């Protein structure tokens, strides 16, 4: 259950990053076409992406809190601090949103952390299966 919650938080975080990137690209596209920034945001938001981002934020917080509690229960397992850090970074993403390059770097940082978590899960699974075979 612990792995499921951590992967769910990471997946929701990736969906949040993808939706945010899609929204930013749409706004830039409409700005490039000559629309004002207010009109570009209004047209880009007509795809209801803002409501999707709100739903993702709610789900991210709910699953994030459950994952933090689960990680606290299983604190003796490996990468305890890393898992807490992954969940905290993911949960704080929607609340730290600003429209500048630093937030984009923060989103890339989160993606890197989540990819490392998936890689470490795969590595530990391969190590555990090797131990079982020998």
């Amino acid at each position: 259950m612990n792995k499921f919650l951590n992967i769910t938080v990471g997946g929701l975080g990736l969906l949040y990053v993808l939706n945010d990137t899609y929204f930013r690209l749409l706004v830039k596209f409409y700005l490039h076409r000559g629309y004002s920034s207010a009109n570009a945001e209004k047209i880009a938001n007509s795809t209801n992406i803002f409501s999707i981002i709100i739903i993702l934020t709610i789900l991210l917080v709910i699953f994030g809190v459950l994952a933090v509690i689960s990680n606290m229960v299983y604190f003796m397992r490996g990468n305890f601090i890393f898992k807490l850090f992954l969940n905290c970074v993911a949960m704080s993403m929607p609340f730290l949103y600003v429209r500048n390059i630093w937030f984009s770097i923060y989103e890339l940082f989160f993606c890197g952390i989540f990819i490392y978590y998936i890689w470490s899960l795969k590595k530990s699974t391969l190590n555990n299966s090797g131990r079982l075979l020998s």
Side-chain angles (χ1 to χ4, degrees), residues 27-121:
V27 169
K28 286 188 181 195
F29 173 75
Y30 288 122
L31 286 174
H32 182 69
R33 303 280 285 185
Y35 290 93
S36 68
S37 63
N39 284 339
E41 287 184 15
K42 184 177 179 182
I43 293 170
N45 196 27
S46 67
T47 60
N48 291 331
I49 198 160
F50 190 67
S51 60
I52 293 171
I53 289 176
I54 289 174
I55 292 169
L56 282 174
T57 300
I58 292 168
L59 290 174
L60 193 59
V61 169
I62 290 170
F63 281 105
V65 168
L66 290 175
V68 166
I69 292 170
S70 174
N71 287 325
M72 291 292 194
V73 170
Y74 296 110
F75 70 93
M76 292 298 287
R77 293 190 180 174
N79 295 332
F80 166 71
I81 300 294
F82 179 74
K83 291 176 194 175
L84 286 180
F85 185 66
L86 168 73
N87 292 321
C88 290
V89 167
M91 285 190 304
S92 62
M93 239 185 328
F95 304 107
L96 296 176
Y97 181 80
V98 289
R99 197 180 297 175
N100 61 22
I101 191 70
W102 293 110
F103 189 73
S104 298
I105 293 171
Y106 185 80
E107 289 177 334
L108 287 174
F109 177 67
F110 164 75
C111 292
I113 291 172
F114 183 59
I115 289 169
Y116 178 76
Y117 176 71
I118 296 294
W119 177 77
S120 68
L121 279 179

Side-chain angles (χ1 to χ4, degrees), residues 17-28:
V17 169
L18 289 174
N19 278 312
D20 180 53
T21 304
Y22 177 69
F23 180 74
R24 288 182 190 203
L25 289 175
L26 275 178
V27 169
K28 286 188 181 195

Side-chain angles (χ1 to χ4, degrees), residues 125-134:
T125 304
L126 290 175
N127 287 341
N128 288 339
S129 66
R131 288 182 197 151
L132 292 175
L133 292 175
S134 58

